[in-house]
Amino acid sequence: MLRIHFTGVDLARVRVAGRPDALWETILSFHRLRDRRDVRLFGEWRTETRTRLNGETRLLGALIPARGYFPDFLTPVEGRYGMELGLDAVLGTRAHRIRRETALLAPAGQQLPTRLREFHEGGPQQLTRLATELRRYHRAAVEPYWTHVQAQIEAERAARGRALLDGGADELMSSLPPMMRWRAPVLECDYPVDRDVRLRGRGLLLQPSFFCRRTAVTLQDPELPPVLVYPAAAQLSTAYPREMAARPAEEHRYRTLGKLVGHTRSVVLRAIGDGATTSELARRAGVSLASASQHAGVMREAGLVTTLRHGNAVLHTVTPLGAALLRGGAVAS
């Protein structure tokens, strides 16, 4: 179990990331690629990704074990601002940090495997090779699905924001997925090892992730800015659309976009705003509860809306595609 200890100052400084982190999604997707579980969600994605992968990933395989620790320098804070900025930060990693963190990958009482030892001692050329592998892998495994990943993280943020507005920081922490349990002032998380993290007034960034599964993930180095990466609840919801689970979003969107015509659905899409439950949506759009649910379902199939469960209700949020259509007036009658 992972136990994260909060002070009152830490609780006031909890933030929920507003976008996916490119490097965390890339590294965690590499775990999913080698994992045979969650076939319903990731089976087709694995097949499509392996078909596109024609580059070298042996260094990634050495640095990212199937389970357990992987070096913190693979996920710098710059990754939340995009893949290229994240890779620039990886390329700037100091040699002493590379040696310290890769040394932790050695089996107990043994030397590092040959490939890791070469990286450990290789200097800038090895970092360039790593950045090249990461970029190629990201383009094959993550980039084609990025709009869908982004929609899931934005929906998760909307749900956590709703919890914060409804009940404050305590409600926010209590609303996190079931593998995390808020027992104030400690957040307990399912975790591969027993560990305590003390925030010491620095607060915590909650980073929802599409490719994170089952357990939350945090950095090994307690001196780095605290971050907790956890599975976005949207992918765990019964409202999650199976047919969009592991495919590039565009393929499904354009098959169903033709359903989305007429003034009423334009009004309903606009009424969702920054997020709305079905009841709120019906009230804002001036339609019945059943009609609001039906219209939201069609727009979810078209990739314009994401739906996830929030307590006893469901919360609808507009995806990037839906927002783009609204900005361009493409959904008007």
Side-chain angles (χ1 to χ4, degrees), residues 22-94:
L23 278 169
W24 275 110
E25 296 295 348
T26 299
I27 300 303
L28 293 172
S29 77
F30 196 66
H31 281 284
R32 299 289 78 76
L33 188 67
R34 296 174 293 176
D35 189 349
R36 297 183 180 180
R37 294 173 291 184
D38 303 306
V39 173
R40 184 190 67 82
L41 188 59
F42 293 115
E44 291 183 52
W45 168 80
R46 289 187 184 110
T47 300
E48 293 169 356
T49 295
R50 286 170 181 147
T51 299
R52 283 191 295 270
L53 272 175
N54 55 11
E56 177 65 70
T57 59
R58 282 185 287 183
L59 180 55
L60 288 183
L63 285 169
I64 309 168
R67 292 179 182 167
Y69 168 81
F70 56 84
D72 291 339
F73 66 76
L74 292 173
T75 53
V77 296
E78 290 83 357
R80 73 187 67 158
Y81 304 113
M83 191 64 181
E84 291 308 314
L85 287 176
L87 289 177
D88 285 346
V90 171
L91 286 167
T93 307
R94 299 293 183 88

Side-chain angles (χ1 to χ4, degrees), residues 148-205:
H148 183 55
V149 170
Q150 185 178 11
Q152 300 304 308
I153 274 53
E154 290 177 355
E156 169 69 19
R157 177 179 167 90
R160 297 313 132 228
R162 177 65 64 97
L164 180 65
L165 290 171
D166 287 348
D170 194 68
E171 179 65 23
L172 164 63
M173 302 302 290
S174 298
S175 74
L176 292 168
M179 72 284 298
M180 298 182 284
R181 297 162 295 278
W182 176 238
R183 297 188 169 96
V186 177
L187 180 65
E188 296 179 350
C189 310
D190 295 344
Y191 207 64
V193 297
D194 203 45
R195 185 181 172 195
D196 287 270
V197 172
R198 301 186 185 277
L199 299 176
R200 307 193 309 273
R202 295 172 296 167
L204 179 69
L205 176 66

